[in-house]
Amino acid sequence: MMKYLGLGILAVGLVACQQENKIESKTDIIVKPYPETKKVEQKDEFFGTVVEDPYRWLEDDLSSETKAWVKAENEVTEDYLNQIPFREEIRQRLEHLWNYEKESAPFKEGDYTYFYKNDGLQNQYVLYRKKGEEGAEEVFLDPNQFSEDGTTSLAGVSFSKDGSLVAYQISEGGSDWTKVIILKADDKSVIGDTLQNVKFSGLAWQGNEGIYYSSYDQPEDGSALSAMTDQHKLYFHAINTPQSDDELIFGGAATPRRYIGAGLTEDERFLVVTAANATSGNELYVKDLSKEGGDFITVVDNMDKNHYLLDNDGDRLLIYTELDAANGRVVETSIADPRPSTWKDVIPETEHVLSPSLGGGKIFANYLKDATSQIKQFDRQGKLEREIELPSIGSAGGFSAKKDDTQLYYSFTNYVNPGTIYKYDIATGESVVYKKPAVDFDPTQYESKQVFYTSKDGTKVPMMITYKKGIELDGSNPTMLYGYGGFNISLTPSFSVSNLILLEQGGVFAVPNLRGGGEYGERWHLAGTKLQKQNVFDDFIAAAEYLIDEKYTSSEKLAISGGSNGGLLVGACMTQRPELYKVAFPAVGVLDMLRYHKFTAGAGWAFDYGTADDSQEMFEYLHTYSPYHALQPDTAYPATMVTTADHDDRVVPAHSFKFAARLQEYHSGENPVLIRIDTKAGHGAGKSTEMVIAEQTDKWSFMFQNLATGYQVIK
C-alpha cells in the first residue's frame, strides 16, 4: 500500500513541477502600427481585364525606399517577437538540441577519404579528409573562415578523376550566383583565377585539363538578384587560363536553352549534356571525347520527358528515362545509334517511382512506395540480385560509388529517427552502422504513422502524422501541417531537429503528399500543374479537415507552413479558407502568379504553373488563386508571419513584400500579420546555423503564442 501512495505523491509532484515550468502565452502583446506602405497607381491589362498592382515599387530591391520599408517592417516584427515570454527559452532549447556532432557519409578521391562534419553549432559544415580510411583527420576546406558572419557557404565540390585537383563553389549571402576556385588537392594551393558569375551549375572535370560549368550573362540593367536570367551557357575552362578565354560548348544564341547541365561518364569518354527550358522535360546530347573534333550526338531531341545518362560500358549506354514510362525505367542503347527507337529495357517500369544510382558495378533502384524507400540491387544487365533490408520505414539515399568500389555508404532517416549512416558491402549485401548521431532525443517515445484521406474530388492522398505516444485526440494538440505539392518533388520522411520543439510539447507534425509532387510519378505530378493546380490546394485543405475531424487538433490549434512553391501553397490556402487555420507561415513563396515569370529564372516554372500571357483561360485561373491578388479587404486572416530574405534570387523577395503589404492593408481582426526579412541570406541553402536557429526560434515562438498553448520549459 505504501508503494502506491509513494508513487501517487511522486506523480503529483511531477505535475506540479511541470506546471511551475510552463510559461503561458502573453495575452496583451501590443503590435506596433504597421508601416504605412505607399500605393502607386499601376494598372496592367490582361485579355481585357485590368489588374491593379499598387505595390509594384517594392519589386525594386535596389531602391532606398524598398530598403527603408524592409527596415521598418523588421522593426515591427522584432518588437512583437521580443514580447513573447518564452522566446529565449525556445532559442536555448533549440541550441541545446542542435549541439551534437553531425557527419556525412565519406567519399574517396585519390589517396584520401573526404567527409563533411559539423561539431554541433558551427555555422557551416567543414570538409575534412584523411589518408586512406585510418589516417589522421585534417581540415581541407572550412567555409566558416570564408566570412566573419558565416554567411558565405560552400555550394559544391568536384574532384578530378585522380583526386589531384578540386574545384569548389562558394555562395555569398545565400545567392544562387556562385564563384569557383580551383586548388591542388595535396597542398591546397590555388590554381588560376576565380571564375565569376556561375549559376545553377555542376562542375565536371575533363581529365586534369579543366572543368565544364554553366552560367548566365550577368544582367546589364537592374539588379543581379532580380533581373531575368534566360540563356544558360555551358563553358569549358582550361586551368591556368583567363575566364575570358573559356570556350562556349553549348547554349547561347545558337541553341538558346534556359537550363543546361553537363557531366562526364566515369571513364571520361563521353560528355553528357542535358538541356531544358522548364523544370520538367529535357533534351539529351552525348559527345564522344575519344574522337577528336567530334560533334554532339542527339539522343533525345525534345523536352517532353525527363532523361539522363547513368553511365556507359564501352559503346553501351545506360539511360534513365520517363519516355513511355511515367514512373521511370532504365534502358540500354549503343552510341552508334542512341535514338529512343533503339532503346531496350534493362529495368522495366513498375508501379513505383524509380530513382536509380550506380556503384561497384551495380545498379541500385531506389523505389518510392507510398512516399517511403524500397531499395533493390541489380547487376548492369538488369538481373535482380537482392532487395536491401532497411532499418524500418523511411527514406534511404546515397547508394552510389565508383565502379570498382567494393562498398558504399547510405543514409537512413524518418520523422523520429535521426539520419544514420550505414556501410554496405556490395558483394554480400551486409549493412553495418557507420555513424549514428547522438541527439538528445528518445525516438521510442514518439510514433509516426501513415494515413490516407480523401480529397475534394475523391482522390486518396497519403499523409504522415508524427506525435508523442499517448497524446489525447481531443482536438487540443498544437499541430503543424507542412506541404509542398509541386515540381515533381517528393516529400519523404526525414528527421528535423527543429520539429522536436513541437513534438516535445505534445504537438503533432503532419505532412501530406499532395498532387503536384513526384510521389506517384508523372501522373501525380501533372495532376497538380497548370489548370489542375487547385487540386494541390484542395489536397492540403482536405488534410487540415482530416486532422480536425479526427480530433488531432482544431482550427484554433492548427498552423500551416511551406516554403517556395510551398509558400504559394500556404498563401493560396490561407486566402481561400482563412477560417480553417489559426497560424500561417508562407516562406520564400511564389505569391504573385501574374508576374513570377519576369524575375530571375522564374520563366522556367511555367511547366508547373503556366503564365498569365499564355491564354485568357490561363490568366483567369492564375488570377483567381494568386495569393497577392486573392486577398480581400476587411477579412480576418490567420496570424501570419511571412518569411523571406534580401538575397533570395530564386523566388525574389518582392513576392513576399507585396503580399505582406496588401495583407496588412486588408486584414481585419486581432491576429498579427508580420513579415520577417533575413539580411545576407537567400532562398535557404547555405544559411548559417545561427541564422537557422534564430528563424526557427521565431517560428515556434510565434506559433505557440498565437495558438495560446504557452511553452513547457524542458531542461
Side-chain angles (χ1 to χ4, degrees):
M1 192 69 181
M2 289 296 290
K3 281 186 178 179
Y4 292 109
L5 181 59
L7 287 171
I9 292 171
L10 176 61
V12 170
L14 284 172
V15 170
C17 181
Q18 288 176 350
Q19 290 173 344
E20 287 174 8
N21 288 332
K22 185 167 186 179
I23 304 175
E24 298 295 343
S25 300
K26 194 173 182 181
T27 57
D28 57 348
I29 286 185
I30 298 171
V31 183
K32 289 176 68 173
Y34 302 127
E36 290 223 9
T37 308
K38 74 172 183 179
K39 299 175 72 172
V40 177
E41 185 173 348
Q42 173 66 52
K43 297 181 179 180
D44 299 310
E45 186 172 327
F46 297 87
F47 303 98
T49 298
V50 174
V51 179
E52 294 187 356
D53 188 5
Y55 298 116
R56 176 83 56 87
W57 63 273
L58 286 168
E59 293 178 358
D60 185 356
D61 59 302
L62 296 179
S63 77
S64 57
E65 283 185 304
T66 300
K67 291 175 181 177
W69 182 87
V70 167
K71 184 173 182 288
E73 288 285 355
N74 270 343
E75 286 174 355
V76 171
T77 300
E78 184 62 24
D79 181 76
Y80 179 90
L81 294 169
N82 271 334
Q83 297 177 65
I84 297 176
F86 38 76
R87 185 188 187 195
E88 177 58 21
E89 284 74 13
I90 289 178
R91 188 198 66 78
Q92 290 178 8
R93 183 61 180 164
L94 271 173
E95 192 172 273
H96 169 77
L97 291 168
W98 227 284
N99 193 10
Y100 66 94
E101 188 175 271
K102 308 163 190 72
E103 189 171 316
S104 76
F107 56 97
K108 293 180 181 178
E109 302 292 350
D111 296 331
Y112 290 91
T113 298
Y114 291 82
F115 57 96
Y116 294 90
K117 187 166 68 173
N118 189 308
D119 64 14
L121 294 174
Q122 288 176 287
N123 277 321
Q124 303 290 341
Y125 277 72
V126 178
L127 180 57
Y128 287 82
R129 72 176 177 184
K130 55 188 177 182
K131 206 68 169 286
E133 290 191 357
E134 305 300 330
E137 292 182 5
E138 65 169 323
V139 172
F140 184 68
L141 284 174
D142 184 359
N144 298 292
Q145 305 301 316
F146 292 171
S147 62
E148 290 186 8
D149 57 5
T151 60
T152 299
S153 61
L154 192 59
V157 174
S158 177
F159 286 84
S160 61
K161 186 176 182 180
D162 66 5
S164 65
L165 300 173
V166 59
Y168 68 94
Q169 298 183 68
I170 61 170
S171 167
E172 296 168 319
S175 172
D176 282 332
W177 291 100
T178 66
K179 298 174 181 176
V180 177
I181 300 162
I182 300 174
L183 305 176
K184 288 183 179 178
D186 59 354
D187 61 6
K188 295 180 276 189
S189 59
V190 176
I191 302 174
D193 296 334
T194 297
L195 304 185
Q196 307 286 338
N197 300 332
V198 178
K199 189 172 185 179
F200 297 154
S201 177
L203 304 173
W205 281 93
Q206 181 177 313
N208 290 341
E209 301 167 27
I211 57 170
Y212 295 93
Y213 69 94
S214 305
S215 191
Y216 302 91
D217 292 337
Q218 186 79 13
E220 292 181 10
D221 301 315
S223 169
L225 295 176
S226 60
M228 283 187 70
T229 47
D230 206 44
Q231 284 193 20
H232 222 190
K233 298 178 181 180
L234 176 67
Y235 290 98
F236 179 74
H237 172 74
I239 62 173
N240 287 315
T241 65
Q243 187 177 6
S244 57
D245 290 348
D246 289 355
E247 180 186 0
L248 178 65
I249 302 298
F250 195 96
T255 48
R257 301 291 186 268
R258 194 167 284 123
Y259 307 113
I260 298 172
L264 272 75
T265 51
E266 189 172 334
D267 64 4
E268 298 193 339
R269 176 181 167 186
F270 295 109
L271 172 64
V272 184
V273 171
T274 58
N277 284 329
T279 51
S280 186
N282 65 276
E283 302 164 329
L284 184 61
Y285 302 91
V286 176
K287 187 174 185 178
D288 190 343
L289 299 178
S290 68
K291 297 180 179 179
E292 191 171 341
D295 293 326
F296 277 105
I297 298 169
T298 302
V299 181
V300 179
D301 64 359
N302 62 76
M303 303 179 193
D304 295 341
K305 305 291 181 182
N306 296 306
H307 331 264
Y308 56 86
L309 186 67
L310 285 164
D311 200 12
N312 69 300
D313 294 316
D315 287 351
R316 177 179 182 248
L317 306 181
L318 285 169
I319 296 171
Y320 167 81
T321 182
E322 292 165 13
L323 179 65
D324 300 324
N327 290 337
R329 59 180 173 137
V330 176
V331 299
E332 64 177 350
T333 187
S334 170
I335 189 62
D337 183 4
R339 294 173 300 167
S341 59
T342 69
W343 293 356
K344 296 178 181 178
D345 280 356
V346 175
I347 301 178
E349 181 188 19
T350 72
E351 62 180 320
H352 303 307
V353 178
L354 169 65
S355 297
S357 58
L358 301 177
K362 308 296 181 181
I363 304 173
F364 292 90
N366 192 331
Y367 291 104
L368 269 188
K369 184 178 181 181
D370 294 329
T372 62
S373 295
Q374 181 184 61
I375 314 294
K376 295 183 179 182
Q377 178 177 319
F378 294 84
D379 70 13
R380 305 267 288 204
Q381 306 304 316
K383 179 184 176 184
L384 177 63
E385 294 185 339
R386 68 176 62 90
E387 180 172 343
I388 297 170
E389 185 178 350
L390 299 176
S392 62
I393 294 174
S395 304
F399 288 88
S400 61
K402 294 182 173 62
K403 191 179 288 187
D404 58 358
D405 284 344
T406 58
Q407 61 188 25
L408 55 75
Y409 299 85
Y410 69 90
S411 62
F412 180 83
T413 184
N414 56 33
Y415 289 115
V416 297
N417 286 289
T420 299
I421 300 168
Y422 293 82
K423 181 189 288 188
Y424 176 75
D425 187 291
I426 297 171
T428 67
E430 181 185 7
S431 293
V432 295
V433 173
Y434 176 76
K435 290 285 182 181
K436 187 173 184 178
V439 189
D440 183 14
F441 170 74
D442 181 5
T444 63
Q445 293 187 36
Y446 299 84
E447 67 177 295
S448 190
K449 70 176 185 179
Q450 187 173 60
V451 300
F452 288 81
Y453 65 92
T454 305
S455 191
K456 183 178 180 179
D457 64 357
T459 299
K460 293 290 184 182
V461 181
M463 175 164 57
M464 296 293 291
I465 307 175
T466 306
Y467 49 88
K468 197 168 191 174
K469 292 177 181 176
I471 65 166
E472 294 290 330
L473 299 185
D474 58 4
S476 69
N477 303 304
T479 297
M480 175 69 83
L481 177 63
Y482 175 84
Y484 188 79
F487 295 92
N488 202 32
I489 291 172
S490 302
L491 293 187
T492 62
S494 62
F495 184 79
S496 164
V497 174
S498 175
N499 289 343
L500 299 185
I501 293 290
L502 173 64
L503 299 178
E504 287 180 337
Q505 299 294 311
V508 176
F509 184 69
V511 182
N513 296 108
L514 313 171
R515 281 174 284 183
E519 290 87 351
Y520 293 104
E522 183 184 37
R523 297 180 190 90
W524 195 253
H525 174 211
L526 294 179
T529 61
K530 294 188 175 75
L531 296 172
Q532 305 297 316
K533 188 65 179 177
Q534 183 61 39
N535 285 336
V536 185
F537 312 141
D538 289 343
D539 289 355
F540 197 65
I541 289 167
E545 292 173 335
Y546 175 90
L547 293 169
I548 293 168
D549 291 344
E550 296 297 318
K551 304 295 185 183
Y552 285 95
T553 192
S554 63
S555 289
E556 286 298 304
K557 300 297 179 185
L558 178 60
I560 56 174
S561 70
S564 194
N565 174 72
L568 162 62
L569 170 71
V570 172
C573 290
M574 65 177 278
T575 53
Q576 292 182 15
R577 292 289 303 277
E579 83 294 345
L580 191 57
Y581 339 93
K582 181 63 177 178
V583 177
F585 294 104
V588 292
V590 188
L591 299 165
D592 181 347
M593 298 307 295
L594 303 187
R595 287 178 58 78
Y596 76 86
H597 57 298
K598 298 182 181 295
F599 302 100
T600 62
W605 311 335
F607 182 92
D608 262 54
Y609 297 149
T611 77
D613 304 326
D614 291 346
S615 66
Q616 182 172 347
E617 181 184 29
M618 195 70 249
F619 154 69
E620 290 174 351
Y621 193 84
L622 289 167
H623 189 219
T624 298
Y625 79 73
S626 174
Y628 172 58
H629 301 93
L631 288 165
Q632 297 297 318
D634 301 317
T635 301
Y637 288 102
T640 303
M641 188 163 71
V642 181
T643 55
T644 187
D646 65 348
H647 277 60
D648 189 346
D649 47 4
R650 187 87 53 86
V651 180
V652 294
H655 284 276
S656 296
F657 293 173
K658 291 164 61 175
F659 180 76
R662 182 169 272 175
L663 178 62
Q664 289 176 346
E665 177 193 1
Y666 285 173
H667 174 60
S668 64
E670 299 300 317
N671 291 331
V673 289
L674 309 173
I675 181 168
R676 183 187 186 279
I677 307 159
D678 263 328
T679 55
K680 295 186 76 174
H683 198 59
K687 270 190 181 179
S688 70
T689 297
E690 182 180 3
M691 294 180 78
V692 172
I693 289 176
E695 181 179 19
Q696 295 304 306
T697 294
D698 292 349
K699 179 184 76 173
W700 295 121
S701 299
F702 186 86
M703 175 176 165
F704 292 148
Q705 168 63 33
N706 285 284
L707 296 186
T709 61
Y711 176 72
Q712 180 69 48
V713 179
I714 298 174
K715 298 293 186 181

